[in-house]
């Protein structure tokens, strides 16, 4: 009689876990769909499931969020100038975007990953001169991101 109660409790716990996972999966799938609707208009889906588009000699990409990740990103890659913009987009809890720049410096054989504010500027003194050297490329990226996604820098 006692083992029957354990089986019922175990079954209820498992049903609860499966129910919570199904709810999360449904919300996550819906949020990803909204993100694609908002940011990937006119983009082509590639074999990896991401969305990409060429614009002004740059590659723009929209990534869907993996299952247990609560944010995704947009990117603009200026391969000629070796500067990339990453925009982190939260799926659920906020509409506040975060930004980062990846800058490749061939002179010093280095790659810098720099977190920046919504004007694509940094407060970190050691990176300011790197961004200043690439300011023209950053301005091009800003204009493409503003045109494509309505981002105001």
């Amino acid at each position: 009689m006692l083992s029957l109660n354990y089986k019922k409790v175990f079954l209820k716990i498992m049903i609860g876990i499966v129910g919570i996972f199904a709810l999360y999966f449904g919300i996550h799938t819906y949020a990803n769909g909204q993100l694609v609707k908002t940011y990937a208009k006119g983009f082509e889906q590639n074999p990896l499931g991401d969305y990409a588009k060429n614009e002004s000699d740059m590659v723009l990409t929209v990534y869907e969020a993996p299952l247990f990740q609560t944010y995704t990103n947009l990117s603009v890659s200026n391969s000629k100038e070796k500067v990339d913009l990453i925009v982190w987009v939260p799926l659920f809890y906020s509409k506040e975007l975060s930004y980062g720049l990846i800058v490749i410096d061939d002179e010093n054989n280095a790659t810098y990953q720099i977190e920046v504010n919504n004007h694509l500027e940094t407060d970190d003194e050691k990176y300011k001169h790197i961004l200043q050297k690439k300011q023209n490329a950053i301005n091009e990226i800003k204009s493409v991101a503003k045109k494509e996604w309505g981002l105001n820098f």
Side-chain angles (χ1 to χ4, degrees):
M1 187 69 108
L2 194 56
S3 69
L4 186 60
N5 286 338
Y6 285 122
K7 288 180 183 178
K8 284 183 181 180
V9 169
F10 180 74
L11 184 62
K12 287 179 183 178
I13 291 171
M14 291 307 296
I15 289 171
I17 290 171
V18 169
I20 290 170
F21 178 77
L23 179 65
Y24 174 81
F25 181 76
I27 292 170
H28 189 273
T29 302
Y30 173 78
N32 255 335
Q34 293 302 308
L35 179 114
V36 168
K37 258 196 224 179
T38 302
Y39 294 108
K41 286 183 184 168
F43 285 55
E44 290 185 28
Q45 190 170 16
N46 64 28
L48 298 174
D50 304 322
Y51 297 85
K53 176 180 182 180
N54 291 319
E55 178 74 33
S56 304
D57 292 329
M58 295 183 213
V59 178
L60 289 77
T61 312
V62 176
Y63 300 94
E64 287 190 15
L67 186 57
F68 292 106
Q69 192 168 315
T70 59
Y71 63 91
T72 189
N73 65 53
L74 315 173
S75 70
V76 180
S77 178
N78 184 339
S79 59
K80 183 174 68 175
E81 297 294 329
K82 299 187 178 180
V83 178
D84 299 333
L85 168 67
I86 307 292
V87 181
W88 290 279
V89 182
L91 287 181
F92 310 118
Y93 50 88
S94 166
K95 292 298 176 197
E96 189 170 320
L97 306 176
S98 300
Y99 305 90
L101 289 169
I102 300 172
V103 179
I104 298 173
D105 182 0
D106 287 334
E107 290 175 18
N108 297 316
N109 198 24
T111 300
Y112 302 98
Q113 298 178 8
I114 308 166
E115 192 167 346
V116 293
N117 62 22
N118 60 345
H119 301 292
L120 303 187
E121 301 166 345
T122 184
D123 293 331
D124 194 333
E125 291 297 325
K126 68 180 180 180
Y127 295 125
K128 283 186 178 184
H129 74 282
I130 295 165
L131 295 184
Q132 286 173 346
K133 286 196 303 189
K134 298 287 189 172
Q135 194 57 52
N136 289 338
I138 293 169
N139 289 339
E140 287 179 42
I141 286 172
K142 282 181 179 182
S143 68
V144 169
K146 182 176 184 174
K147 177 184 166 194
E148 189 63 43
W149 295 310
L151 302 177
N152 293 314
F153 298 105

